[in-house]
Amino acid sequence: MRRVGVAMAGAVAGGLLLGGCSPAHLSLVGVWLDTDGRPLARVRPCDGDQSAGVTLRAYPDDRNGGRGRRGHQASNGWSAPAVPALADTTFPLFAPPDSWHPETVGPQQMLSRATYTLEFTAYEHEDFVDYVGEVTFSAADLAGLERGEVWADGRAMSPEAFEDLVGDAC
């Protein structure tokens, strides 16, 4: 009986440790195409939060049509490792603000057989990441949007619905 109690206590403690260490992944990023067909992005951190960086990465889709995923080498994108004053910002997907000092990887254009992730990390205190704002999408996802729609949370939505999504997350 004592072993069962020790095992249960260990399982509960392990669950709390593992669960408490992973930041929440929130739908605080939206992407869409402008009237000329160029991809745009909007990062929308919660008010007052700071960022440890913003990253766009494309992961090649596999030969069987499976979506690309992390763990493979990125085909293209960019990384801005330190953007402490990140605020509600809209920008061309492959031309983030110069003040972010982005470092690029590969061609800065949409690839048709890749899955993209655009994300930022946010914190209130420098020692701890509170959450990750992110969106995952493909060129086909963006091409399927109706005029005025935004891709966020794995689906197409209106800009107003995106604002509601952000409001609910924050």
Side-chain angles (χ1 to χ4, degrees):
M1 188 65 151
R2 183 175 152 183
R3 284 188 213 180
V4 172
V6 170
M8 289 292 286
V12 169
L16 289 172
L17 283 172
L18 292 175
C21 293
S22 297
H25 288 255
L26 306 176
S27 296
L28 301 175
V29 181
V31 290
W32 66 94
L33 298 175
D34 69 9
T35 55
D36 294 326
R38 291 179 299 228
L40 298 176
R42 182 177 179 197
V43 294
R44 180 71 173 69
C46 299
D47 293 337
D49 290 344
Q50 298 201 353
S51 173
V54 185
T55 304
L56 171 70
R57 289 287 183 251
Y59 299 98
D61 294 341
D62 68 27
R63 294 182 199 147
N64 299 321
R67 291 186 75 125
R69 59 188 182 278
R70 295 174 190 180
H72 294 95
Q73 176 137 359
S75 305
N76 71 337
W78 49 264
S79 178
V83 186
L86 182 66
D88 185 351
T89 307
T90 298
F91 56 93
L93 185 63
F94 291 100
D98 289 338
S99 63
W100 294 2
H101 307 288
E103 299 170 6
T104 62
V105 173
Q108 297 302 291
Q109 62 189 27
M110 289 293 295
L111 302 177
S112 60
R113 295 185 40 91
T115 298
Y116 286 84
T117 300
L118 176 59
E119 66 182 17
F120 68 90
T121 55
Y123 61 89
E124 289 181 38
H125 308 287
E126 290 185 32
D127 302 352
F128 181 76
V129 173
D130 290 319
Y131 59 87
V132 176
E134 68 180 353
V135 65
T136 300
F137 60 96
S138 67
D141 294 331
L142 296 184
L145 293 174
E146 299 291 327
R147 175 172 262 157
E149 285 187 322
V150 175
W151 185 268
D153 197 35
R155 58 194 163 99
M157 63 183 65
S158 70
E160 296 79 16
F162 177 64
E163 282 300 317
D164 290 344
L165 185 69
V166 169
D168 291 346
C170 289

